[in-house]
Amino acid sequence: MTGDEPFITAVKPLVDAMGGDMLPPDEAGPEDVVLAWEGVDVVAVRLPQLADSLDHILAAMERRQGRPLADLDRKAKQEIVRILEARGAFAVRHGVETVASALGVSRFTVYNYLNREKGV
């Protein structure tokens, strides 16, 4: 390699956090994002489908909490819903259902948390 290792090392945590995969730029498909370093294509990033991203985000939140999201108290679950809404989780098809399942609550409860956050 030609000095691009620091670049790959720098972007890997971001790609991992998004649930993406890194691959050689010549293997990039039309939906992949090719990243260049000093004018040379270095790595391609294959982003996950939005639904897969939501699962990845939920798993990361669970790891940060150190326990299943369903085991959190109501206030913590409301905070999780607030964070997920800010990240666009509920724009994903079946997003409310996926989040409700992860939190161990009903869809109705997730909608209540969302409405509470909006001051409805």
Side-chain angles (χ1 to χ4, degrees), residues 28-49:
E31 300 297 318
D32 297 330
V33 178
V34 177
L35 303 176
W37 177 254
E38 297 180 345
V40 177
D41 291 345
V42 174
V43 66
V45 177
R46 182 161 295 154
L47 299 172
Q49 297 298 314

mmCIF file with all atom_site columns, all heavy atoms in Angstrom, residues 28-49:
data_model
loop_
_atom_site.group_PDB
_atom_site.id
_atom_site.type_symbol
_atom_site.label_atom_id
_atom_site.label_alt_id
_atom_site.label_comp_id
_atom_site.label_asym_id
_atom_site.label_entity_id
_atom_site.label_seq_id
_atom_site.pdbx_PDB_ins_code
_atom_site.Cartn_x
_atom_site.Cartn_y
_atom_site.Cartn_z
_atom_site.occupancy
_atom_site.B_iso_or_equiv
_atom_site.pdbx_formal_charge
_atom_site.auth_seq_id
_atom_site.auth_comp_id
_atom_site.auth_asym_id
_atom_site.auth_atom_id
_atom_site.pdbx_PDB_model_num
ATOM 1   N N   . ALA A 1 28 ? -16.223 -2.207 -6.128 1.00 0.00 ? 28 ALA A N   1
ATOM 2   C CA  . ALA A 1 28 ? -17.365 -1.369 -5.769 1.00 0.00 ? 28 ALA A CA  1
ATOM 3   C C   . ALA A 1 28 ? -18.491 -1.528 -6.785 1.00 0.00 ? 28 ALA A C   1
ATOM 4   O O   . ALA A 1 28 ? -18.259 -1.590 -7.990 1.00 0.00 ? 28 ALA A O   1
ATOM 5   C CB  . ALA A 1 28 ? -16.944 0.093  -5.685 1.00 0.00 ? 28 ALA A CB  1
ATOM 6   N N   . GLY A 1 29 ? -19.700 -1.577 -6.240 1.00 0.00 ? 29 GLY A N   1
ATOM 7   C CA  . GLY A 1 29 ? -20.884 -1.586 -7.082 1.00 0.00 ? 29 GLY A CA  1
ATOM 8   C C   . GLY A 1 29 ? -21.435 -0.180 -7.213 1.00 0.00 ? 29 GLY A C   1
ATOM 9   O O   . GLY A 1 29 ? -20.904 0.767  -6.610 1.00 0.00 ? 29 GLY A O   1
ATOM 10  N N   . PRO A 1 30 ? -22.510 -0.033 -7.954 1.00 0.00 ? 30 PRO A N   1
ATOM 11  C CA  . PRO A 1 30 ? -23.061 1.311  -8.184 1.00 0.00 ? 30 PRO A CA  1
ATOM 12  C C   . PRO A 1 30 ? -23.598 1.982  -6.924 1.00 0.00 ? 30 PRO A C   1
ATOM 13  O O   . PRO A 1 30 ? -23.652 3.208  -6.855 1.00 0.00 ? 30 PRO A O   1
ATOM 14  C CB  . PRO A 1 30 ? -24.176 1.080  -9.197 1.00 0.00 ? 30 PRO A CB  1
ATOM 15  C CG  . PRO A 1 30 ? -24.461 -0.375 -9.169 1.00 0.00 ? 30 PRO A CG  1
ATOM 16  C CD  . PRO A 1 30 ? -23.224 -1.065 -8.685 1.00 0.00 ? 30 PRO A CD  1
ATOM 17  N N   . GLU A 1 31 ? -23.961 1.219  -5.911 1.00 0.00 ? 31 GLU A N   1
ATOM 18  C CA  . GLU A 1 31 ? -24.499 1.789  -4.670 1.00 0.00 ? 31 GLU A CA  1
ATOM 19  C C   . GLU A 1 31 ? -23.425 2.017  -3.607 1.00 0.00 ? 31 GLU A C   1
ATOM 20  O O   . GLU A 1 31 ? -23.700 2.576  -2.558 1.00 0.00 ? 31 GLU A O   1
ATOM 21  C CB  . GLU A 1 31 ? -25.595 0.870  -4.089 1.00 0.00 ? 31 GLU A CB  1
ATOM 22  C CG  . GLU A 1 31 ? -26.776 0.663  -5.016 1.00 0.00 ? 31 GLU A CG  1
ATOM 23  C CD  . GLU A 1 31 ? -27.523 1.950  -5.308 1.00 0.00 ? 31 GLU A CD  1
ATOM 24  O OE1 . GLU A 1 31 ? -27.733 2.747  -4.371 1.00 0.00 ? 31 GLU A OE1 1
ATOM 25  O OE2 . GLU A 1 31 ? -27.883 2.171  -6.471 1.00 0.00 ? 31 GLU A OE2 1
ATOM 26  N N   . ASP A 1 32 ? -22.202 1.551  -3.871 1.00 0.00 ? 32 ASP A N   1
ATOM 27  C CA  . ASP A 1 32 ? -21.122 1.692  -2.907 1.00 0.00 ? 32 ASP A CA  1
ATOM 28  C C   . ASP A 1 32 ? -20.513 3.093  -2.986 1.00 0.00 ? 32 ASP A C   1
ATOM 29  O O   . ASP A 1 32 ? -20.619 3.773  -4.001 1.00 0.00 ? 32 ASP A O   1
ATOM 30  C CB  . ASP A 1 32 ? -20.040 0.634  -3.153 1.00 0.00 ? 32 ASP A CB  1
ATOM 31  C CG  . ASP A 1 32 ? -20.571 -0.786 -2.966 1.00 0.00 ? 32 ASP A CG  1
ATOM 32  O OD1 . ASP A 1 32 ? -21.494 -0.970 -2.149 1.00 0.00 ? 32 ASP A OD1 1
ATOM 33  O OD2 . ASP A 1 32 ? -20.067 -1.698 -3.650 1.00 0.00 ? 32 ASP A OD2 1
ATOM 34  N N   . VAL A 1 33 ? -19.854 3.492  -1.906 1.00 0.00 ? 33 VAL A N   1
ATOM 35  C CA  . VAL A 1 33 ? -19.188 4.792  -1.846 1.00 0.00 ? 33 VAL A CA  1
ATOM 36  C C   . VAL A 1 33 ? -17.683 4.542  -1.896 1.00 0.00 ? 33 VAL A C   1
ATOM 37  O O   . VAL A 1 33 ? -17.140 3.850  -1.035 1.00 0.00 ? 33 VAL A O   1
ATOM 38  C CB  . VAL A 1 33 ? -19.556 5.537  -0.537 1.00 0.00 ? 33 VAL A CB  1
ATOM 39  C CG1 . VAL A 1 33 ? -18.830 6.872  -0.465 1.00 0.00 ? 33 VAL A CG1 1
ATOM 40  C CG2 . VAL A 1 33 ? -21.059 5.719  -0.423 1.00 0.00 ? 33 VAL A CG2 1
ATOM 41  N N   . VAL A 1 34 ? -17.023 5.087  -2.913 1.00 0.00 ? 34 VAL A N   1
ATOM 42  C CA  . VAL A 1 34 ? -15.577 4.922  -3.058 1.00 0.00 ? 34 VAL A CA  1
ATOM 43  C C   . VAL A 1 34 ? -14.902 6.136  -2.418 1.00 0.00 ? 34 VAL A C   1
ATOM 44  O O   . VAL A 1 34 ? -15.225 7.281  -2.726 1.00 0.00 ? 34 VAL A O   1
ATOM 45  C CB  . VAL A 1 34 ? -15.169 4.780  -4.538 1.00 0.00 ? 34 VAL A CB  1
ATOM 46  C CG1 . VAL A 1 34 ? -13.645 4.680  -4.659 1.00 0.00 ? 34 VAL A CG1 1
ATOM 47  C CG2 . VAL A 1 34 ? -15.846 3.563  -5.164 1.00 0.00 ? 34 VAL A CG2 1
ATOM 48  N N   . LEU A 1 35 ? -13.982 5.864  -1.501 1.00 0.00 ? 35 LEU A N   1
ATOM 49  C CA  . LEU A 1 35 ? -13.248 6.919  -0.801 1.00 0.00 ? 35 LEU A CA  1
ATOM 50  C C   . LEU A 1 35 ? -11.840 7.023  -1.374 1.00 0.00 ? 35 LEU A C   1
ATOM 51  O O   . LEU A 1 35 ? -11.181 6.009  -1.617 1.00 0.00 ? 35 LEU A O   1
ATOM 52  C CB  . LEU A 1 35 ? -13.182 6.612  0.696  1.00 0.00 ? 35 LEU A CB  1
ATOM 53  C CG  . LEU A 1 35 ? -14.524 6.423  1.406  1.00 0.00 ? 35 LEU A CG  1
ATOM 54  C CD1 . LEU A 1 35 ? -14.296 6.039  2.861  1.00 0.00 ? 35 LEU A CD1 1
ATOM 55  C CD2 . LEU A 1 35 ? -15.362 7.684  1.302  1.00 0.00 ? 35 LEU A CD2 1
ATOM 56  N N   . ALA A 1 36 ? -11.401 8.253  -1.578 1.00 0.00 ? 36 ALA A N   1
ATOM 57  C CA  . ALA A 1 36 ? -10.064 8.498  -2.130 1.00 0.00 ? 36 ALA A CA  1
ATOM 58  C C   . ALA A 1 36 ? -9.176  9.133  -1.068 1.00 0.00 ? 36 ALA A C   1
ATOM 59  O O   . ALA A 1 36 ? -9.649  9.840  -0.183 1.00 0.00 ? 36 ALA A O   1
ATOM 60  C CB  . ALA A 1 36 ? -10.167 9.414  -3.348 1.00 0.00 ? 36 ALA A CB  1
ATOM 61  N N   . TRP A 1 37 ? -7.890  8.858  -1.192 1.00 0.00 ? 37 TRP A N   1
ATOM 62  C CA  . TRP A 1 37 ? -6.879  9.441  -0.311 1.00 0.00 ? 37 TRP A CA  1
ATOM 63  C C   . TRP A 1 37 ? -5.787  9.989  -1.214 1.00 0.00 ? 37 TRP A C   1
ATOM 64  O O   . TRP A 1 37 ? -5.224  9.264  -2.021 1.00 0.00 ? 37 TRP A O   1
ATOM 65  C CB  . TRP A 1 37 ? -6.343  8.371  0.627  1.00 0.00 ? 37 TRP A CB  1
ATOM 66  C CG  . TRP A 1 37 ? -5.258  8.802  1.547  1.00 0.00 ? 37 TRP A CG  1
ATOM 67  C CD1 . TRP A 1 37 ? -3.939  8.485  1.451  1.00 0.00 ? 37 TRP A CD1 1
ATOM 68  C CD2 . TRP A 1 37 ? -5.379  9.633  2.701  1.00 0.00 ? 37 TRP A CD2 1
ATOM 69  N NE1 . TRP A 1 37 ? -3.233  9.046  2.465  1.00 0.00 ? 37 TRP A NE1 1
ATOM 70  C CE2 . TRP A 1 37 ? -4.101  9.763  3.268  1.00 0.00 ? 37 TRP A CE2 1
ATOM 71  C CE3 . TRP A 1 37 ? -6.439  10.274 3.316  1.00 0.00 ? 37 TRP A CE3 1
ATOM 72  C CZ2 . TRP A 1 37 ? -3.848  10.511 4.402  1.00 0.00 ? 37 TRP A CZ2 1
ATOM 73  C CZ3 . TRP A 1 37 ? -6.187  11.015 4.462  1.00 0.00 ? 37 TRP A CZ3 1
ATOM 74  C CH2 . TRP A 1 37 ? -4.922  11.124 4.992  1.00 0.00 ? 37 TRP A CH2 1
ATOM 75  N N   . GLU A 1 38 ? -5.530  11.285 -1.100 1.00 0.00 ? 38 GLU A N   1
ATOM 76  C CA  . GLU A 1 38 ? -4.516  11.951 -1.913 1.00 0.00 ? 38 GLU A CA  1
ATOM 77  C C   . GLU A 1 38 ? -4.719  11.672 -3.400 1.00 0.00 ? 38 GLU A C   1
ATOM 78  O O   . GLU A 1 38 ? -3.784  11.376 -4.141 1.00 0.00 ? 38 GLU A O   1
ATOM 79  C CB  . GLU A 1 38 ? -3.117  11.569 -1.442 1.00 0.00 ? 38 GLU A CB  1
ATOM 80  C CG  . GLU A 1 38 ? -2.852  12.026 -0.014 1.00 0.00 ? 38 GLU A CG  1
ATOM 81  C CD  . GLU A 1 38 ? -1.470  11.664 0.495  1.00 0.00 ? 38 GLU A CD  1
ATOM 82  O OE1 . GLU A 1 38 ? -0.778  10.816 -0.111 1.00 0.00 ? 38 GLU A OE1 1
ATOM 83  O OE2 . GLU A 1 38 ? -1.093  12.234 1.535  1.00 0.00 ? 38 GLU A OE2 1
ATOM 84  N N   . GLY A 1 39 ? -5.996  11.744 -3.837 1.00 0.00 ? 39 GLY A N   1
ATOM 85  C CA  . GLY A 1 39 ? -6.326  11.601 -5.247 1.00 0.00 ? 39 GLY A CA  1
ATOM 86  C C   . GLY A 1 39 ? -6.406  10.184 -5.782 1.00 0.00 ? 39 GLY A C   1
ATOM 87  O O   . GLY A 1 39 ? -6.615  9.982  -6.973 1.00 0.00 ? 39 GLY A O   1
ATOM 88  N N   . VAL A 1 40 ? -6.243  9.196  -4.919 1.00 0.00 ? 40 VAL A N   1
ATOM 89  C CA  . VAL A 1 40 ? -6.264  7.798  -5.357 1.00 0.00 ? 40 VAL A CA  1
ATOM 90  C C   . VAL A 1 40 ? -7.397  7.073  -4.639 1.00 0.00 ? 40 VAL A C   1
ATOM 91  O O   . VAL A 1 40 ? -7.542  7.177  -3.414 1.00 0.00 ? 40 VAL A O   1
ATOM 92  C CB  . VAL A 1 40 ? -4.909  7.103  -5.034 1.00 0.00 ? 40 VAL A CB  1
ATOM 93  C CG1 . VAL A 1 40 ? -4.943  5.636  -5.424 1.00 0.00 ? 40 VAL A CG1 1
ATOM 94  C CG2 . VAL A 1 40 ? -3.766  7.822  -5.720 1.00 0.00 ? 40 VAL A CG2 1
ATOM 95  N N   . ASP A 1 41 ? -8.205  6.337  -5.413 1.00 0.00 ? 41 ASP A N   1
ATOM 96  C CA  . ASP A 1 41 ? -9.264  5.525  -4.804 1.00 0.00 ? 41 ASP A CA  1
ATOM 97  C C   . ASP A 1 41 ? -8.613  4.466  -3.923 1.00 0.00 ? 41 ASP A C   1
ATOM 98  O O   . ASP A 1 41 ? -7.756  3.696  -4.384 1.00 0.00 ? 41 ASP A O   1
ATOM 99  C CB  . ASP A 1 41 ? -10.125 4.851  -5.873 1.00 0.00 ? 41 ASP A CB  1
ATOM 100 C CG  . ASP A 1 41 ? -10.975 5.839  -6.651 1.00 0.00 ? 41 ASP A CG  1
ATOM 101 O OD1 . ASP A 1 41 ? -11.126 6.984  -6.189 1.00 0.00 ? 41 ASP A OD1 1
ATOM 102 O OD2 . ASP A 1 41 ? -11.499 5.462  -7.712 1.00 0.00 ? 41 ASP A OD2 1
ATOM 103 N N   . VAL A 1 42 ? -9.012  4.452  -2.638 1.00 0.00 ? 42 VAL A N   1
ATOM 104 C CA  . VAL A 1 42 ? -8.358  3.590  -1.663 1.00 0.00 ? 42 VAL A CA  1
ATOM 105 C C   . VAL A 1 42 ? -9.266  2.460  -1.208 1.00 0.00 ? 42 VAL A C   1
ATOM 106 O O   . VAL A 1 42 ? -8.855  1.316  -1.108 1.00 0.00 ? 42 VAL A O   1
ATOM 107 C CB  . VAL A 1 42 ? -7.908  4.414  -0.434 1.00 0.00 ? 42 VAL A CB  1
ATOM 108 C CG1 . VAL A 1 42 ? -7.352  3.523  0.650  1.00 0.00 ? 42 VAL A CG1 1
ATOM 109 C CG2 . VAL A 1 42 ? -6.891  5.447  -0.847 1.00 0.00 ? 42 VAL A CG2 1
ATOM 110 N N   . VAL A 1 43 ? -10.512 2.791  -0.922 1.00 0.00 ? 43 VAL A N   1
ATOM 111 C CA  . VAL A 1 43 ? -11.409 1.800  -0.351 1.00 0.00 ? 43 VAL A CA  1
ATOM 112 C C   . VAL A 1 43 ? -12.838 2.144  -0.765 1.00 0.00 ? 43 VAL A C   1
ATOM 113 O O   . VAL A 1 43 ? -13.184 3.305  -0.943 1.00 0.00 ? 43 VAL A O   1
ATOM 114 C CB  . VAL A 1 43 ? -11.262 1.748  1.197  1.00 0.00 ? 43 VAL A CB  1
ATOM 115 C CG1 . VAL A 1 43 ? -11.726 3.033  1.853  1.00 0.00 ? 43 VAL A CG1 1
ATOM 116 C CG2 . VAL A 1 43 ? -11.971 0.551  1.792  1.00 0.00 ? 43 VAL A CG2 1
ATOM 117 N N   . ALA A 1 44 ? -13.626 1.109  -0.916 1.00 0.00 ? 44 ALA A N   1
ATOM 118 C CA  . ALA A 1 44 ? -15.051 1.293  -1.172 1.00 0.00 ? 44 ALA A CA  1
ATOM 119 C C   . ALA A 1 44 ? -15.801 0.892  0.090  1.00 0.00 ? 44 ALA A C   1
ATOM 120 O O   . ALA A 1 44 ? -15.384 -0.016 0.807  1.00 0.00 ? 44 ALA A O   1
ATOM 121 C CB  . ALA A 1 44 ? -15.507 0.446  -2.353 1.00 0.00 ? 44 ALA A CB  1
ATOM 122 N N   . VAL A 1 45 ? -16.876 1.598  0.349  1.00 0.00 ? 45 VAL A N   1
ATOM 123 C CA  . VAL A 1 45 ? -17.699 1.305  1.521  1.00 0.00 ? 45 VAL A CA  1
ATOM 124 C C   . VAL A 1 45 ? -19.074 0.874  1.042  1.00 0.00 ? 45 VAL A C   1
ATOM 125 O O   . VAL A 1 45 ? -19.722 1.588  0.280  1.00 0.00 ? 45 VAL A O   1
ATOM 126 C CB  . VAL A 1 45 ? -17.819 2.541  2.442  1.00 0.00 ? 45 VAL A CB  1
ATOM 127 C CG1 . VAL A 1 45 ? -18.729 2.246  3.624  1.00 0.00 ? 45 VAL A CG1 1
ATOM 128 C CG2 . VAL A 1 45 ? -16.439 2.975  2.918  1.00 0.00 ? 45 VAL A CG2 1
ATOM 129 N N   . ARG A 1 46 ? -19.463 -0.290 1.481  1.00 0.00 ? 46 ARG A N   1
ATOM 130 C CA  . ARG A 1 46 ? -20.800 -0.805 1.176  1.00 0.00 ? 46 ARG A CA  1
ATOM 131 C C   . ARG A 1 46 ? -21.662 -0.585 2.414  1.00 0.00 ? 46 ARG A C   1
ATOM 132 O O   . ARG A 1 46 ? -21.433 -1.185 3.461  1.00 0.00 ? 46 ARG A O   1
ATOM 133 C CB  . ARG A 1 46 ? -20.739 -2.289 0.812  1.00 0.00 ? 46 ARG A CB  1
ATOM 134 C CG  . ARG A 1 46 ? -22.089 -2.861 0.442  1.00 0.00 ? 46 ARG A CG  1
ATOM 135 C CD  . ARG A 1 46 ? -21.972 -4.154 -0.332 1.00 0.00 ? 46 ARG A CD  1
ATOM 136 N NE  . ARG A 1 46 ? -21.333 -3.865 -1.624 1.00 0.00 ? 46 ARG A NE  1
ATOM 137 C CZ  . ARG A 1 46 ? -20.635 -4.768 -2.315 1.00 0.00 ? 46 ARG A CZ  1
ATOM 138 N NH1 . ARG A 1 46 ? -20.466 -5.973 -1.855 1.00 0.00 ? 46 ARG A NH1 1
ATOM 139 N NH2 . ARG A 1 46 ? -20.091 -4.429 -3.475 1.00 0.00 ? 46 ARG A NH2 1
ATOM 140 N N   . LEU A 1 47 ? -22.608 0.306  2.285  1.00 0.00 ? 47 LEU A N   1
ATOM 141 C CA  . LEU A 1 47 ? -23.497 0.631  3.403  1.00 0.00 ? 47 LEU A CA  1
ATOM 142 C C   . LEU A 1 47 ? -24.616 -0.397 3.488  1.00 0.00 ? 47 LEU A C   1
ATOM 143 O O   . LEU A 1 47 ? -25.067 -0.910 2.464  1.00 0.00 ? 47 LEU A O   1
ATOM 144 C CB  . LEU A 1 47 ? -24.068 2.037  3.224  1.00 0.00 ? 47 LEU A CB  1
ATOM 145 C CG  . LEU A 1 47 ? -23.025 3.147  3.193  1.00 0.00 ? 47 LEU A CG  1
ATOM 146 C CD1 . LEU A 1 47 ? -23.672 4.471  2.830  1.00 0.00 ? 47 LEU A CD1 1
ATOM 147 C CD2 . LEU A 1 47 ? -22.320 3.248  4.525  1.00 0.00 ? 47 LEU A CD2 1
ATOM 148 N N   . PRO A 1 48 ? -25.084 -0.674 4.681  1.00 0.00 ? 48 PRO A N   1
ATOM 149 C CA  . PRO A 1 48 ? -26.169 -1.646 4.826  1.00 0.00 ? 48 PRO A CA  1
ATOM 150 C C   . PRO A 1 48 ? -27.497 -1.030 4.397  1.00 0.00 ? 48 PRO A C   1
ATOM 151 O O   . PRO A 1 48 ? -27.633 0.187  4.274  1.00 0.00 ? 48 PRO A O   1
ATOM 152 C CB  . PRO A 1 48 ? -26.172 -1.930 6.335  1.00 0.00 ? 48 PRO A CB  1
ATOM 153 C CG  . PRO A 1 48 ? -25.651 -0.671 6.934  1.00 0.00 ? 48 PRO A CG  1
ATOM 154 C CD  . PRO A 1 48 ? -24.639 -0.132 5.953  1.00 0.00 ? 48 PRO A CD  1
ATOM 155 N N   . GLN A 1 49 ? -28.475 -1.885 4.172  1.00 0.00 ? 49 GLN A N   1
ATOM 156 C CA  . GLN A 1 49 ? -29.828 -1.403 3.933  1.00 0.00 ? 49 GLN A CA  1
ATOM 157 C C   . GLN A 1 49 ? -30.299 -0.701 5.195  1.00 0.00 ? 49 GLN A C   1
ATOM 158 O O   . GLN A 1 49 ? -29.838 -1.008 6.292  1.00 0.00 ? 49 GLN A O   1
ATOM 159 C CB  . GLN A 1 49 ? -30.761 -2.577 3.602  1.00 0.00 ? 49 GLN A CB  1
ATOM 160 C CG  . GLN A 1 49 ? -30.379 -3.314 2.330  1.00 0.00 ? 49 GLN A CG  1
ATOM 161 C CD  . GLN A 1 49 ? -30.446 -2.417 1.109  1.00 0.00 ? 49 GLN A CD  1
ATOM 162 O OE1 . GLN A 1 49 ? -31.399 -1.687 0.929  1.00 0.00 ? 49 GLN A OE1 1
ATOM 163 N NE2 . GLN A 1 49 ? -29.422 -2.466 0.275  1.00 0.00 ? 49 GLN A NE2 1
#
